[in-house]
């Protein structure tokens, strides 16, 4: 654009005495500027569409990574997964492509989400291992252990002592109606 504008200005300098040429050159300058601007806008739109598509792909992959990590039983498995899995590498390559496009906001977003998924998975696994004892049906608080009911609660009405009560099946909860 700059080179074309300089050429038009040089032509204006040469033909300054001819008013009709000066007017035509001014029109051509505007046409050239508008043409370059429209191409610039098209390129920016194309780049934004590409960045958005890369971001959506990264989000889908991150969801899959999260669901996969939730099944691991050891911290070492999580670290090994982050060190060797192809999907993690794919996310990192998407981050690089976004960086090449110059979209630093999306780069930072995907990087932080990838990092937080790993850190959260390790933290949740450690919490689960510290809280639950003997599987997931016993919670441990220090030396004390409590069993956990995992069945679905059902609300019923029962008659006790000639009075109607709400009752949660499988519990000792009764509430007079």
């Amino acid at each position: 654009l700059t080179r074309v504008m300089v050429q038009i200005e040089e032509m204006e300098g040469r033909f300054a005495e001819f008013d009709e040429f000066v007017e035509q050159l001014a029109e051509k300058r505007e046409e050239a500027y508008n043409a370059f601007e429209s191409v610039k806008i098209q390129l920016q739109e194309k780049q934004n569409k590409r960045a958005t598509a890369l971001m959506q792909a990264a989000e889908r992959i991150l969801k899959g990574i999260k669901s996969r990590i939730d099944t691991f039983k050891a911290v070492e498995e999580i670290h090994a997964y982050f060190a060797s899995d192809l999907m993690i590498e794919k996310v990192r390559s998407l981050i690089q492509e976004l960086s090449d496009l110059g979209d630093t906001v999306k780069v930072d977003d995907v990087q932080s989400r990838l990092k937080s998924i790993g850190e959260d998975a390790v933290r949740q696994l450690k919490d689960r291992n510290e809280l639950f004892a003997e599987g997931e049906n016993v919670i441990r608080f220090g030396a004390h252990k409590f069993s956990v009911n995992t069945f679905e609660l059902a609300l019923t009405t029962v008659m006790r002592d000639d009075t109607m009560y709400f009752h949660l099946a499988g519990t000792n909860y009764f509430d007079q109606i």
Side-chain angles (χ1 to χ4, degrees):
L1 175 63
T2 305
R3 189 171 35 143
V4 171
M5 291 299 171
V6 168
Q7 288 175 351
I8 292 174
E9 286 179 22
E10 287 175 358
M11 291 174 72
E12 281 181 334
R14 283 189 214 160
F15 299 107
E17 303 99 35
F18 303 103
D19 291 335
E20 60 191 47
F21 288 135
V22 172
E23 289 177 21
Q24 289 178 356
L25 288 172
E27 290 174 9
K28 294 298 179 187
R29 179 187 303 123
E30 284 298 315
E31 288 177 16
Y33 183 79
N34 290 336
F36 276 100
E37 277 299 310
S38 69
V39 169
K40 179 181 171 184
I41 290 171
Q42 289 173 352
L43 291 174
Q44 285 176 340
E45 287 177 357
K46 184 178 178 183
Q47 187 176 11
N48 288 340
K49 284 181 184 179
R50 177 74 177 142
T52 302
L54 291 172
M55 182 70 178
Q56 289 172 346
E59 287 174 351
R60 284 191 301 273
I61 293 170
L62 288 172
K63 285 179 186 176
I65 290 170
K66 173 113 177 73
S67 65
R68 169 79 186 202
I69 285 179
D70 289 342
T71 64
F72 293 148
K73 302 292 183 206
V75 174
E76 294 80 21
E77 290 180 45
I78 294 171
H79 292 304
Y81 181 76
F82 269 87
S84 64
D85 192 71
L86 293 176
M87 297 313 288
I88 301 292
E89 287 304 314
K90 181 62 179 172
V91 171
R92 289 182 179 136
S93 72
L94 291 173
I95 290 170
Q96 183 59 45
E97 287 183 51
L98 284 169
S99 178
D100 293 343
L101 290 174
D103 199 337
T104 57
V105 173
K106 288 184 173 106
V107 168
D108 291 341
D109 184 32
V110 174
Q111 280 178 334
S112 65
R113 287 175 61 192
L114 181 62
K115 183 178 177 183
S116 68
I117 285 173
E119 291 172 351
D120 290 347
V122 170
R123 190 176 320 110
Q124 288 174 358
L125 181 62
K126 286 180 180 179
D127 290 347
R128 232 183 340 215
N129 290 341
E130 291 174 5
L131 184 62
F132 291 106
E134 304 167 18
E136 294 191 10
N137 292 330
V138 178
I139 294 178
R140 178 180 53 219
F141 289 116
H144 305 286
K145 296 180 181 179
F146 303 94
S147 63
V148 177
N149 289 331
T150 57
F151 62 86
E152 217 174 290
L153 296 176
L155 181 65
T156 62
T157 56
V158 294
M159 182 70 91
R160 287 179 71 187
D161 301 326
D162 295 328
T163 309
M164 290 295 291
Y165 286 85
F166 287 118
H167 173 63
L168 287 177
T171 68
N172 290 329
Y173 177 77
F174 292 92
D175 189 22
Q176 185 176 356
I177 298 177

